[in-house]
Amino acid sequence: MKLKLIIALGVIGSFLASCQKDNFDEPGSKLEGKLVYNGEAINVSYNDVTFQLWEPGWQKKGEINVAVDQDGSFSAMLFNANYKLVIPSNQGPFKSKLNTETGSDTILVKVDGSKVMDIEVVPYYMIRTPQFTVSGRDVTGTFKAEQIITGTSAKNIERVNLYVNKTQFVDFRSNVASTELAGASVTFGTTVSLKATVPAITPTQNYVFARIGLKIAGIEDMIFSPVVKVNL
């Protein structure tokens, strides 16, 4: 009988403990914004670029990883607190900027209610004046490449790509048509042209989505132009 009572008390204790956990408040403040260069959004591939938020003094001392969307936007639901924002060195087609407050690339972020905050970075390159035209099922994309980081920190262009997909998710993983041009063929200030032929799509649709990507030598993440819908 005594053993049964101990087991019953243990079950009740576990139940009460789980109820207490379930009663913890969910994070209610949203941090949102974009990765930008001089206020202009940095376009990347979906869910590939992330940054970390650290809450000093929090008992778990674990990072919160925040993913960046295709258009450079991000959002995270957080508790009100003071955070340290860090972009790992292997993330993104850009370099972090020196923060004057911390004297490093770490950014101090105070969340007290919902907050909109853009993160300024310095890309190696920017894709300028992207335009898309259609002839039959051929999609042609043109652009100019602007080199932002020069000097000893500069990196070469490995390749540029035109990607076309039937949905708004467009990159090297998600496409129905693509074409590639070696970086050595890109001249700064000169219009670059790429053409891809869209195959038959099932179910049939009379439009696709396109964007141009630029791969930087030695950098995993590409920088992209914004996604554009084009009619076939």
Side-chain angles (χ1 to χ4, degrees):
M1 180 64 71
K2 185 175 180 181
L3 179 60
K4 290 181 179 179
L5 178 60
I6 292 173
I7 293 173
L9 289 174
V11 171
I12 293 172
S14 298
F15 174 76
L16 291 175
S18 65
C19 288
Q20 287 177 339
K21 290 180 181 178
D22 292 340
N23 288 334
F24 284 160
D25 291 335
E26 294 292 329
S29 295
K30 179 187 282 189
L31 174 66
E32 59 184 331
K34 285 189 174 186
L35 291 179
V36 298
Y37 168 65
N38 290 339
E40 183 177 354
I42 299 294
N43 291 267
V44 294
S45 49
Y46 176 73
N47 215 30
D48 279 336
V49 177
T50 63
F51 63 85
Q52 298 173 346
L53 291 170
W54 296 80
E55 185 180 350
W58 182 245
Q59 54 186 342
K60 291 185 178 180
K61 296 187 181 300
E63 76 276 12
I64 301 169
N65 288 298
V66 181
V68 179
D69 210 339
Q70 289 187 130
D71 62 354
S73 64
F74 61 84
S75 66
M77 296 303 298
L78 303 169
F79 293 106
N80 290 338
N82 294 315
Y83 296 88
K84 290 183 178 180
L85 188 157
V86 178
I87 303 176
S89 58
N90 63 342
Q91 290 292 310
F94 50 75
K95 293 178 69 70
S96 297
K97 293 189 70 173
L98 179 69
N99 183 270
T100 56
E101 186 177 4
T102 63
S104 68
D105 56 5
T106 298
I107 302 171
L108 302 181
V109 181
K110 181 178 181 180
V111 176
D112 186 9
S114 293
K115 181 183 185 71
V116 177
M117 184 192 76
D118 290 340
I119 304 172
E120 280 278 351
V121 295
V122 184
Y124 288 93
Y125 293 89
M126 290 292 283
I127 296 173
R128 300 300 190 191
T129 62
Q131 295 183 341
F132 301 90
T133 57
V134 177
S135 176
R137 299 193 71 81
D138 291 337
V139 177
T140 299
T142 61
F143 75 99
K144 292 181 180 180
E146 181 186 3
Q147 186 173 20
I148 305 300
I149 296 178
T150 58
T152 57
S153 296
K155 293 184 179 295
N156 293 327
I157 298 175
E158 182 177 315
R159 68 175 191 272
V160 291
N161 297 83
L162 168 62
Y163 296 109
V164 181
N165 201 23
K166 59 184 179 180
T167 73
Q168 295 183 58
F169 293 96
V170 190
D171 57 31
F172 51 90
R173 286 186 304 256
S174 303
N175 66 80
V176 295
S178 67
T179 189
E180 180 174 313
L181 183 67
S185 300
V186 177
T187 302
F188 301 127
T190 300
T191 299
V192 179
S193 180
L194 303 100
K195 181 170 68 175
T197 302
V198 181
I201 298 174
T202 304
T204 302
Q205 64 185 53
N206 63 354
Y207 61 89
V208 289
F209 298 88
R211 72 195 309 209
I212 292 165
L214 186 152
K215 174 69 170 63
I216 303 150
I219 302 295
E220 181 178 357
D221 299 311
M222 299 176 71
I223 192 164
F224 288 83
S225 66
V227 176
V228 174
K229 181 180 179 180
V230 293
N231 295 318
L232 297 175

